[in-house]
Amino acid sequence: MLRIAVCVSGGGTNLQAIIDAIGSGKISNTEIVRVISNKKDAYALTRAAENGIGAVCVSRKDFPDKESFNDALIQAVDEAQPDLVVLAGFLVVLPEKMIQKYRRRIINIHPSLIPSFCGNGFYGLKVHEAALARGVKITGATVHFVDEGTDTGPIIKQKAVEVREGDTPEILQKRVMEQAEWQILPETIDEIANGELLIGMERKH
Ligand code: GRF
Protein backbone atom coordinates (compact mmCIF):
# COMPACT_ATOMS: atom_id res chain seq x y z
CA MET A 1 0.00 0.00 0.00
CA LEU A 2 1.50 3.33 -1.11
CA ARG A 3 1.33 5.88 1.75
CA ILE A 4 0.95 9.41 0.43
CA ALA A 5 1.03 12.74 2.24
CA VAL A 6 -0.66 15.55 0.26
CA CYS A 7 0.49 19.15 0.82
CA VAL A 8 -2.06 21.87 0.04
CA SER A 9 -2.57 25.64 0.32
CA GLY A 10 -5.93 26.34 -1.23
CA GLY A 11 -9.11 24.89 -2.71
CA GLY A 12 -7.84 21.32 -2.81
CA THR A 13 -9.41 20.34 -6.14
CA ASN A 14 -6.34 18.23 -6.93
CA LEU A 15 -6.62 16.59 -3.50
CA GLN A 16 -10.28 15.92 -4.30
CA ALA A 17 -9.29 14.35 -7.62
CA ILE A 18 -6.97 11.98 -5.75
CA ILE A 19 -9.66 11.15 -3.17
CA ASP A 20 -12.21 10.49 -5.92
CA ALA A 21 -9.75 8.37 -7.93
CA ILE A 22 -9.01 6.21 -4.89
CA GLY A 23 -12.75 5.87 -4.29
CA SER A 24 -13.46 4.84 -7.87
CA GLY A 25 -10.47 2.50 -8.10
CA LYS A 26 -8.67 4.62 -10.71
CA ILE A 27 -5.92 4.76 -8.12
CA SER A 28 -5.32 1.41 -6.43
CA ASN A 29 -3.06 0.27 -3.63
CA THR A 30 -2.84 3.78 -2.16
CA GLU A 31 -3.76 5.49 1.11
CA ILE A 32 -3.69 9.24 1.86
CA VAL A 33 -2.12 9.12 5.33
CA ARG A 34 -2.07 12.87 5.97
CA VAL A 35 -3.02 16.21 4.44
CA ILE A 36 -0.69 19.07 5.37
CA SER A 37 -1.75 22.68 4.78
CA ASN A 38 0.16 25.90 5.37
CA LYS A 39 -3.14 27.84 5.41
CA LYS A 40 -5.64 27.44 8.24
CA ASP A 41 -8.54 28.43 5.97
CA ALA A 42 -7.66 26.19 3.03
CA TYR A 43 -10.84 24.53 1.77
CA ALA A 44 -8.64 21.48 1.15
CA LEU A 45 -8.75 20.93 4.94
CA THR A 46 -12.54 20.72 4.76
CA ARG A 47 -12.23 18.15 1.96
CA ALA A 48 -9.85 16.11 4.13
CA ALA A 49 -12.21 16.26 7.12
CA GLU A 50 -15.22 15.27 4.98
CA ASN A 51 -13.30 12.21 3.84
CA GLY A 52 -11.96 11.17 7.23
CA ILE A 53 -8.37 11.99 6.33
CA GLY A 54 -6.08 13.23 9.11
CA ALA A 55 -4.86 16.76 8.48
CA VAL A 56 -2.51 19.26 10.10
CA CYS A 57 -1.87 22.93 9.48
CA VAL A 58 1.68 24.27 9.67
CA SER A 59 1.32 28.03 9.31
CA ARG A 60 4.35 30.32 8.98
CA LYS A 61 2.50 32.81 11.23
CA ASP A 62 2.82 30.39 14.16
CA PHE A 63 6.63 30.37 14.04
CA PRO A 64 9.19 33.02 15.00
CA ASP A 65 11.35 32.36 11.96
CA LYS A 66 11.63 30.43 8.70
CA GLU A 67 13.95 27.84 10.22
CA SER A 68 11.49 26.76 12.90
CA PHE A 69 8.66 26.72 10.33
CA ASN A 70 10.76 24.50 8.04
CA ASP A 71 11.52 22.13 10.92
CA ALA A 72 7.81 21.90 11.80
CA LEU A 73 6.92 21.21 8.16
CA ILE A 74 9.47 18.41 7.89
CA GLN A 75 8.26 16.98 11.22
CA ALA A 76 4.63 17.02 10.00
CA VAL A 77 5.70 15.03 6.93
CA ASP A 78 7.99 12.63 8.82
CA GLU A 79 5.29 11.81 11.37
CA ALA A 80 3.06 10.52 8.58
CA GLN A 81 5.83 8.20 7.34
CA PRO A 82 4.81 8.66 3.68
CA ASP A 83 6.31 6.75 0.77
CA LEU A 84 5.41 9.70 -1.48
CA VAL A 85 4.77 13.40 -0.88
CA VAL A 86 2.34 15.05 -3.33
CA LEU A 87 2.37 18.85 -3.67
CA ALA A 88 -1.15 19.74 -4.84
CA GLY A 89 -1.39 23.50 -5.08
CA PHE A 90 1.17 23.90 -2.28
CA LEU A 91 2.59 27.42 -2.35
CA VAL A 92 5.57 26.94 -0.04
CA VAL A 93 9.23 26.74 -1.04
CA LEU A 94 10.28 23.39 0.44
CA PRO A 95 13.34 23.37 2.72
CA GLU A 96 16.41 21.86 1.07
CA LYS A 97 16.69 19.40 3.96
CA MET A 98 13.27 17.99 3.02
CA ILE A 99 14.13 17.71 -0.68
CA GLN A 100 17.33 15.85 0.16
CA LYS A 101 15.56 13.56 2.63
CA TYR A 102 12.76 12.75 0.16
CA ARG A 103 14.82 12.76 -3.06
CA ARG A 104 12.66 11.48 -5.96
CA ARG A 105 9.78 10.96 -3.51
CA ILE A 106 8.13 14.38 -3.88
CA ILE A 107 5.97 15.17 -6.93
CA ASN A 108 4.28 18.43 -7.95
CA ILE A 109 1.48 19.34 -10.32
CA HIS A 110 2.05 22.55 -12.28
CA PRO A 111 -0.67 24.08 -14.50
CA SER A 112 1.41 24.57 -17.67
CA LEU A 113 3.56 22.55 -20.06
CA ILE A 114 6.93 23.04 -18.35
CA PRO A 115 9.30 24.71 -19.34
CA SER A 116 6.70 27.27 -20.40
CA PHE A 117 5.16 29.59 -17.82
CA CYS A 118 6.87 28.15 -14.75
CA GLY A 119 9.38 29.18 -12.10
CA ASN A 120 9.22 32.00 -9.59
CA GLY A 121 5.98 33.96 -9.71
CA PHE A 122 4.15 31.45 -11.96
CA TYR A 123 1.38 29.93 -9.84
CA GLY A 124 -2.40 29.75 -9.89
CA LEU A 125 -4.14 32.15 -12.26
CA LYS A 126 -0.87 33.96 -13.06
CA VAL A 127 0.17 30.93 -15.13
CA HIS A 128 -2.93 31.16 -17.32
CA GLU A 129 -2.73 34.96 -17.56
CA ALA A 130 0.80 34.57 -18.95
CA ALA A 131 -0.28 31.86 -21.41
CA LEU A 132 -3.13 34.03 -22.72
CA ALA A 133 -0.88 37.11 -22.88
CA ARG A 134 1.66 35.16 -24.97
CA GLY A 135 -1.10 33.87 -27.23
CA VAL A 136 -0.23 30.16 -27.07
CA LYS A 137 -2.75 27.85 -28.75
CA ILE A 138 -1.89 24.88 -26.57
CA THR A 139 -1.18 24.78 -22.84
CA GLY A 140 -1.66 22.01 -20.29
CA ALA A 141 -0.28 20.59 -17.06
CA THR A 142 2.87 18.84 -15.88
CA VAL A 143 3.67 16.38 -13.09
CA HIS A 144 7.35 16.45 -12.13
CA PHE A 145 9.68 15.36 -9.36
CA VAL A 146 10.59 18.20 -7.01
CA ASP A 147 14.23 19.20 -6.75
CA GLU A 148 15.95 22.24 -5.27
CA GLY A 149 14.72 24.53 -8.03
CA THR A 150 11.25 25.92 -8.75
CA ASP A 151 9.41 23.64 -11.22
CA THR A 152 12.80 22.35 -12.43
CA GLY A 153 12.75 18.67 -11.42
CA PRO A 154 12.53 15.74 -13.88
CA ILE A 155 9.25 15.77 -15.82
CA ILE A 156 7.10 12.66 -15.27
CA LYS A 157 3.88 13.28 -17.21
CA GLN A 158 2.29 16.06 -19.27
CA LYS A 159 -1.09 16.58 -20.92
CA ALA A 160 -1.95 19.24 -23.51
CA VAL A 161 -5.11 21.35 -23.43
CA GLU A 162 -6.31 23.67 -26.21
CA VAL A 163 -6.69 27.40 -25.65
CA ARG A 164 -9.97 28.69 -27.09
CA GLU A 165 -11.01 32.04 -28.51
CA GLY A 166 -12.37 34.23 -25.74
CA ASP A 167 -10.81 32.25 -22.91
CA THR A 168 -10.38 34.16 -19.67
CA PRO A 169 -7.72 33.03 -17.15
CA GLU A 170 -10.50 31.54 -15.03
CA ILE A 171 -12.05 29.59 -17.93
CA LEU A 172 -8.65 28.34 -19.06
CA GLN A 173 -7.67 27.34 -15.50
CA LYS A 174 -10.83 25.30 -15.14
CA ARG A 175 -10.24 23.51 -18.47
CA VAL A 176 -6.60 22.76 -17.55
CA MET A 177 -7.69 21.42 -14.17
CA GLU A 178 -10.53 19.28 -15.57
CA GLN A 179 -8.79 17.98 -18.69
CA ALA A 180 -5.20 17.74 -17.44
CA GLU A 181 -4.37 18.21 -13.75
CA TRP A 182 -7.15 16.04 -12.36
CA GLN A 183 -6.18 13.31 -14.88
CA ILE A 184 -2.39 13.15 -14.86
CA LEU A 185 -1.85 13.53 -11.10
CA PRO A 186 -4.03 10.51 -10.19
CA GLU A 187 -2.56 8.54 -13.14
CA THR A 188 0.97 9.23 -11.88
CA ILE A 189 0.12 8.20 -8.31
CA ASP A 190 -1.48 4.96 -9.55
CA GLU A 191 1.61 4.17 -11.66
CA ILE A 192 3.85 4.72 -8.63
CA ALA A 193 1.56 2.66 -6.40
CA ASN A 194 1.72 -0.24 -8.86
CA GLY A 195 5.42 -0.17 -9.60
CA GLU A 196 5.16 1.22 -13.14
CA LEU A 197 7.13 4.31 -12.08
CA LEU A 198 9.98 3.91 -9.61
CA ILE A 199 10.52 6.51 -6.89
CA GLY A 200 13.25 7.03 -4.36
CA MET A 201 16.97 7.08 -5.01
CA GLU A 202 17.88 5.52 -8.34
CA ARG A 203 19.89 2.36 -7.71
CA LYS A 204 23.55 3.10 -8.30
CA HIS A 205 25.04 0.54 -10.69
C1 GRF B 1 -4.29 25.65 -9.12
O1 GRF B 1 -3.79 26.79 -9.80
C2 GRF B 1 -3.72 24.43 -9.75
O2 GRF B 1 -3.60 24.63 -11.13
C3 GRF B 1 -2.37 24.33 -9.11
O3 GRF B 1 -2.53 24.84 -7.79
C4 GRF B 1 -3.70 25.67 -7.74
C5 GRF B 1 -4.69 25.23 -6.68
O4 GRF B 1 -5.01 23.90 -6.90
N1 GRF B 1 -1.89 22.98 -9.13
P1 GRF B 1 -6.01 23.10 -5.88
O5 GRF B 1 -7.41 23.39 -6.35
O6 GRF B 1 -5.76 23.65 -4.49
O7 GRF B 1 -5.64 21.66 -6.02
Side-chain angles (χ1 to χ4, degrees):
M1 181 72 81
L2 183 75
R3 296 169 59 88
I4 66 174
V6 183
C7 297
V8 297
S9 298
T13 65
N14 279 285
L15 167 66
Q16 190 65 55
I18 297 168
I19 292 168
D20 294 348
I22 291 172
S24 69
K26 270 193 194 158
I27 296 179
S28 62
N29 201 18
T30 297
E31 179 190 0
I32 302 173
V33 292
R34 176 170 270 188
V35 168
I36 298 167
S37 175
N38 68 309
K39 297 284 183 198
K40 291 184 171 62
D41 61 351
Y43 189 69
L45 289 171
T46 303
R47 296 180 192 273
E50 285 172 349
N51 289 278
I53 299 167
V56 293
C57 181
V58 181
S59 167
R60 175 70 181 77
K61 294 193 182 85
D62 297 339
F63 297 89
D65 51 48
K66 187 73 174 160
E67 192 63 31
S68 52
F69 167 77
N70 284 345
D71 290 347
L73 178 62
I74 295 173
Q75 185 182 341
V77 175
D78 287 350
E79 284 168 355
Q81 296 183 303
D83 300 304
L84 177 72
V85 179
V86 180
L87 308 185
F90 192 55
L91 300 177
V92 170
V93 176
L94 297 188
E96 288 222 2
K97 206 162 55 172
M98 180 172 159
I99 293 166
Q100 284 153 12
K101 187 169 189 177
Y102 290 90
R103 180 77 57 195
R104 277 180 69 87
R105 289 202 292 143
I106 307 171
I107 63 174
N108 182 50
I109 176 82
H110 181 77
S112 76
L113 295 176
I114 288 174
S116 297
F117 313 117
C118 65
N120 292 333
F122 286 102
Y123 58 89
L125 276 179
K126 293 174 188 288
V127 174
H128 306 293
E129 286 163 1
L132 290 170
R134 182 63 185 82
V136 295
K137 303 305 175 193
I138 298 289
T139 186
T142 302
V143 178
H144 63 93
F145 284 112
V146 173
D147 65 6
E148 284 75 1
T150 304
D151 304 326
T152 53
I155 290 173
I156 298 170
K157 198 180 281 278
Q158 295 187 303
K159 186 160 186 191
V161 171
E162 67 172 351
V163 182
R164 291 181 188 151
E165 199 64 39
D167 272 350
T168 63
E170 292 76 8
I171 291 171
L172 184 54
Q173 178 179 55
K174 194 162 184 326
R175 189 178 311 123
V176 169
M177 282 177 159
E178 287 172 348
Q179 295 185 11
E181 295 179 49
W182 300 346
Q183 309 301 323
I184 62 175
L185 186 55
E187 285 168 11
T188 301
I189 292 168
D190 184 59
E191 287 171 12
I192 292 169
N194 295 292
E196 294 163 47
L197 171 64
L198 296 182
I199 57 173
M201 290 311 287
E202 293 159 306
R203 265 176 284 286
K204 295 288 175 239
H205 303 301

